[in-house]
Amino acid sequence: MADAATASQVHRVGRRAYAVEAELIGHTGIPALRESLEEMRAQPLRWLGAVTGSGRVAAFVAWQEFGEDAAVDVHRVCVDPPWFRRGLASRLLRHLLGELVPGRDVVVSTGADNHPAVALYQRLGFARLADFEPVPGLAVARFRLTRSGGP
């Protein structure tokens, strides 16, 4: 995210992807839809992206690590809508899980009515935990991939 042009592309892709999620879940209060480019870049996240043959960002995943014993927290999994249904989110997550945080527990959340994301996490072996409502009317599904023998 140090490169301004890349950061700008990531920001645009995230906004387009979250706009689709907002439609799916019937709630426009997704924080990333309102965040500025500067706010996005200021977050202490690690980023992994997929780019097109022409070098444009098509998808990305962002996560935070809190220490070797804590679960990795996936904050964002976004695919630019023209690139939906091509396996990019799955490939990025498989790379993250298998190569970048192997053996670590991983947590992720999504709108409970975002059925494509829910299905993706379940296909990858995540267990669905209790849903919660951070604000009235917004059901969020939590998932955990336990690989360390922990909770």
Side-chain angles (χ1 to χ4, degrees), residues 65-72 102-105 148:
E65 298 180 51
F66 295 100
E68 288 186 31
D69 294 332
V72 172
R104 302 277 304 272
D105 291 0
S148 66

Side-chain angles (χ1 to χ4, degrees), residues 39-119:
E39 289 168 329
M40 182 195 77
R41 290 179 82 181
Q43 294 186 34
L45 301 175
R46 298 188 63 195
W47 301 83
L48 175 67
V51 297
T52 67
S54 63
R56 305 291 301 169
V57 174
F60 65 87
V61 60
W63 69 99
Q64 190 168 15
E65 298 180 51
F66 295 100
E68 288 186 31
D69 294 332
V72 172
D73 189 354
V74 175
H75 283 247
R76 300 165 192 241
V77 179
C78 295
V79 177
D80 202 4
W83 291 89
F84 281 3
R85 311 290 305 156
R86 298 186 195 200
L88 294 178
S90 178
R91 282 187 258 169
L92 286 169
L93 284 167
R94 287 181 197 280
H95 183 75
L96 172 66
L97 298 172
E99 303 297 325
L100 302 177
V101 295
R104 302 277 304 272
D105 291 0
V106 180
V107 295
V108 65
S109 299
T110 189
D113 289 332
N114 184 345
H115 300 295
V118 167

Side-chain angles (χ1 to χ4, degrees), residues 4 15 30 76 82 93 118 120 133:
R15 286 225 171 153
I30 298 171
R76 300 165 192 241
L93 284 167
V118 167
L120 170 64
E133 279 194 21

